[in-house]
Amino acid sequence: MNGLTCPACEGVYIVKNGHAHTGKQRYLCRVCRHQFTLNHTRTPISPETVILVDRLLSERLSHRGICRVVGVSRSWFRRHLQMLIKTVPHAIETESPASKKASTLQDQRS
Ligand SMILES: [Zn+2]
């Protein structure tokens, strides 16, 4: 049908499926339900940019500021943060004797 093949399964039963937010025609593979556009113009974020974003994050800059300076979209940035949240450990298992002492001292005072 219409000379298109599915990029996922090479199927040829392709139908039109609305438009992307950029206005491009979207297609749907009737075999595997994969949705796609032709000649997509999305440019991937370079690894150097990702490293720069991570370095700026460690400097505690505002998220919007990082997006403006580096030139990445806030939706990409949000997805990147979600990925970081999943991969970076958040709790360090330590027991500090100093903080324990301080808390017991405060308890005695009150
Ligand atoms: Zn398919």
Side-chain angles (χ1 to χ4, degrees):
M1 212 172 171
N2 53 35
L4 296 171
T5 54
C6 170
C9 75
E10 311 272 303
V12 290
Y13 189 19
I14 309 295
V15 293
K16 288 183 177 178
N17 186 35
H19 293 87
H21 69 278
T22 54
K24 286 197 166 187
Q25 180 68 55
R26 287 185 62 73
Y27 296 96
L28 169 73
C29 172
R30 288 292 213 175
V31 180
C32 73
R33 312 292 299 167
H34 181 70
Q35 298 179 29
F36 59 96
T37 54
L38 295 175
N39 311 317
H40 51 84
T41 50
R42 191 182 79 88
T43 49
I45 308 282
S46 71
E48 293 80 19
T49 306
V50 176
I51 290 166
L52 179 61
V53 165
D54 290 348
R55 281 177 60 198
L56 292 173
L57 269 172
S58 67
E59 293 292 328
R60 302 176 62 94
L61 298 176
S62 79
H63 294 176
R64 285 174 187 241
I66 293 172
C67 291
R68 277 192 300 270
V69 169
V70 178
V72 297
S73 71
R74 291 191 58 219
S75 57
W76 177 87
F77 187 80
R78 220 173 296 125
R79 262 179 283 128
H80 183 64
L81 273 186
Q82 289 297 321
M83 190 270 297
L84 287 178
I85 287 167
K86 280 179 195 155
T87 54
V88 175
H90 279 77
I92 302 169
E93 299 294 324
T94 58
E95 195 157 317
S96 157
S99 66
K100 237 184 183 178
K101 269 184 194 167
S103 67
T104 51
L105 278 175
Q106 274 184 341
D107 291 344
Q108 284 168 356
R109 263 185 235 146
S110 59

